Amino acid sequence: MPSAANVLLYAAIAGLVLYRVVYQQIRGTLLTRKALVTMPLLLVAVGGYLTLKALPGASAAELGLLGADLLVLAGLGVLRSTTTTLTERDGTTFQKGSAVTIGLWVLTVAVRIGVVALGTALGVAGALTSASIALALGISIAVQNATTYRRIRRRGLPLAGRRPALSR
């Protein structure tokens, strides 16, 4: 059972991801190198730390479940990237998500919940399953952003080092 501090941490991570990633993708946002790297790096660092703390008590089955979870969520990251439109605006790339992007985010959350439910049903969901939430989201977003970066490079779109001032 996760501690109250862990539950608060997971709630904070969820709120941050919902705003900084999902909401901004749907309304549209100017992309920078920093924006593409910061969120996934933060999530992978926090999630990696929590995951490493839970590793000693993890079973082989729980490790396998985590591996499958990470592979599926990485694949969903690639798919989410391909559903956003990329255009040039204000000296950088503007990204806007679609209804399909929203659907894939819902599917991402459903897959993560499904993995926890499957692990619980099989009797293999332990501390690692809950401790790896931030890691799983971070990897999924990192893969999405890496795919987006590749799309930006392939199309020859600009990518600012920092957020440009909006033109009026």
Side-chain angles (χ1 to χ4, degrees):
M1 187 73 152
S3 69
N6 282 349
V7 170
L8 286 174
L9 177 63
Y10 300 148
I13 289 169
L16 187 63
V17 168
L18 280 172
Y19 172 72
R20 294 286 301 166
V21 178
V22 180
Y23 173 73
Q24 285 189 344
Q25 281 179 10
I26 301 311
R27 75 164 190 173
T29 189
L30 295 173
L31 295 178
T32 63
R33 285 178 181 82
K34 181 181 174 184
L36 289 172
V37 172
T38 303
M39 177 63 66
L41 185 63
L42 176 66
L43 288 171
V44 169
V46 169
Y49 171 76
L50 294 172
T51 299
L52 285 174
K53 279 180 54 177
L55 273 180
S59 68
E62 193 175 11
L63 289 170
L65 194 62
L66 174 61
D69 184 28
L70 294 177
L71 283 173
V72 171
L73 292 182
L76 286 169
V78 171
L79 289 175
R80 285 192 314 269
S81 174
T82 64
T83 66
T84 63
T85 58
L86 302 172
T87 56
E88 184 176 347
R89 186 182 295 178
D90 296 322
T92 192
T93 299
F94 182 78
Q95 175 183 324
K96 183 155 177 46
S98 65
V100 176
T101 310
I102 295 170
L104 287 171
W105 269 111
V106 169
L107 181 59
T108 299
V109 171
V111 164
R112 184 61 173 139
I113 292 169
V115 164
V116 172
L118 177 64
T120 301
L122 297 174
V124 296
L128 181 63
T129 302
S130 60
S132 62
I133 291 170
L135 178 65
L137 281 174
I139 288 175
S140 187
I141 294 168
V143 170
Q144 177 180 345
N145 289 357
T147 304
T148 298
Y149 181 78
R150 184 169 177 240
R151 291 175 59 216
I152 290 168
R153 293 282 107 197
R154 199 169 344 130
R155 292 189 51 206
L157 293 168
L159 189 59
R162 53 179 238 234
R163 196 166 307 273
L166 293 175
S167 59
R168 301 200 181 211

